[in-house]
Amino acid sequence: TAPRALPRQVAPRFVPAPTPPHDVDAGLPAAVELLRGRRLAVLTGAGVSTDSGIPDYRGPDSPPRRPMTFQQFVADAAFRRTYWARNHVGWRYVHRTRPNAGHEALARMEAQGVVVGLITQNVDRLHTLAGSRSVIDLHGTYAEIVCLDCGDRTTRDALARRLEALNPGFAEAVGAVADVEIAPDADAVIESTEGFRVADCERCDGMLKPDIVYFGESVPKERVERAYALVDEADALLVAGSSLAVMSGLRFVRHAARTGRPVVIVNRGATRADVEATLRVHAGTSHLLPALADRLAAHPVGTA
């Protein structure tokens, strides 16, 4: 039985493991040697999407961020106004981002039968856009909106039109989207949200929220159990572009290690699971994953 779902929590900064990771030149052949002939489950984080233009939260060059919590969102109308105003600007940018070579390589590995499925901590839907079919959106996606009162659902596209009608010219007044700092969840850093009008549910006038797991919320139990089952179905776990600083992703690495499955981590910088990793490679995912896909294609699953 899978452990119970836990709220997302921000972990303290971790100390890098004493053993340094491999660079690309040494790490790629080592990863091929370890993973060839195996069926892979993949766990991805924000680092996979940085080369699509979406910054991550905890990369070596990332500025400090303090994401809004679920408790703040539901308890305070001012927090909700701030969230939706910033999201109204940031969504315009995130919505038009496209998959990069790392996303495409993972989709190709799935088509080749190397990857059995993918667990992503990202909410940007870029894996799906790249062609991956078996995707568990652990934290939901920014593309869906849910009413917390009646459960009615709508798309972010539809809500965008309503917010634009309620706040004509707001995004343009903030400035060019290209000049605004954007976070992975489409949160834009803007100075003032005064006067922004929030849209309520068209069905019941209830509170609307993106269908994503906020900090302080729990990932739905059914989603967690599907992710554990995916790891159990595979022969190894590949982690791509995640510092694993939150337990919602880290638990799958620990589960794989506990059950004797090799764990390969590809990430720029240290991760919270370095001690559980069989192999660590310090590299960008859009560079390493296509090369890994090419080499693993020469070793069909089930062969050494």
Side-chain angles (χ1 to χ4, degrees):
T1 302
R4 66 184 180 85
L6 298 173
R8 290 178 69 186
Q9 297 176 341
V10 180
R13 288 282 177 175
F14 35 81
V15 178
T19 303
H22 292 291
D23 61 15
V24 175
D25 290 339
L28 178 58
V32 172
E33 180 67 24
L34 187 60
L35 298 177
R36 65 182 183 182
R38 299 180 188 267
R39 298 170 304 159
L40 310 182
V42 181
L43 172 65
T44 70
V48 169
S49 295
T50 54
D51 285 343
S52 291
I54 302 176
D56 63 10
Y57 276 120
R58 298 179 184 86
D61 301 319
S62 299
R65 301 183 190 275
R66 188 177 296 275
M68 186 175 296
T69 68
F70 177 74
Q71 291 77 15
Q72 288 172 328
F73 184 89
V74 299
D76 192 322
F79 271 109
R80 287 195 298 280
R81 184 193 70 230
T82 296
Y83 175 85
W84 282 118
R86 292 165 61 133
N87 184 270
H88 181 55
V89 175
W91 178 82
R92 292 181 172 206
Y93 176 81
V94 174
H95 181 58
R96 65 178 183 234
T97 57
R98 291 295 175 260
N100 61 52
H103 298 109
E104 292 165 356
L106 291 173
R108 181 154 47 98
M109 283 194 276
E110 183 185 5
Q112 293 165 345
V114 175
V115 167
V116 298
L118 190 151
I119 306 161
T120 184
Q121 300 169 93
N122 301 338
V123 299
D124 54 35
R125 297 182 68 248
L126 292 180
H127 287 299
T128 299
L129 291 175
S132 291
R133 295 178 177 272
S134 179
V135 179
I136 298 173
D137 293 300
L138 194 63
H139 298 152
T141 81
Y142 71 82
E144 299 292 327
I145 305 297
V146 62
C147 174
L148 296 181
D149 294 292
C150 73
D152 192 43
R153 306 179 77 84
T154 188
T155 67
R156 186 62 181 80
D157 284 314
L159 182 62
R161 292 189 290 270
R162 293 183 60 205
L163 289 174
E164 184 60 39
L166 288 169
N167 303 277
F170 179 85
E172 290 76 11
V174 168
V177 171
D179 297 330
V180 177
E181 183 184 339
I182 309 293
D185 57 359
D187 183 36
V189 179
I190 58 180
E191 291 184 3
S192 175
T193 63
E194 287 296 325
F196 189 85
R197 297 177 62 192
V198 174
D200 295 323
C201 176
E202 289 186 299
R203 181 178 174 183
C204 75
D205 293 325
M207 186 187 303
L208 295 179
K209 172 185 169 292
D211 192 18
I212 60 177
V213 178
Y214 279 35
F215 287 90
E217 277 191 286
S218 295
V219 178
K221 182 178 179 181
E222 175 272 337
R223 202 177 296 168
V224 173
E225 290 176 345
R226 283 196 292 122
Y228 276 115
L230 180 61
V231 175
D232 288 339
E233 182 185 349
D235 304 313
L237 178 64
L238 171 63
V239 179
S242 177
S243 64
L244 300 165
V246 293
M247 183 58 70
S248 60
L250 177 63
R251 55 186 157 187
F252 302 116
V253 177
R254 291 181 171 172
H255 179 73
R258 259 194 325 266
T259 54
R261 289 169 171 79
V263 175
V264 174
I265 299 178
V266 179
N267 190 59
R268 289 190 181 105
T271 83
R272 194 178 169 195
D274 285 351
V275 294
E276 279 92 4
T278 313
L279 173 69
R280 295 196 299 137
V281 185
H282 178 75
T285 56
S286 61
H287 176 60
L288 187 133
L289 291 178
L292 182 64
D294 290 341
R295 286 157 178 76
L296 291 181
H299 301 281
V301 170
T303 65

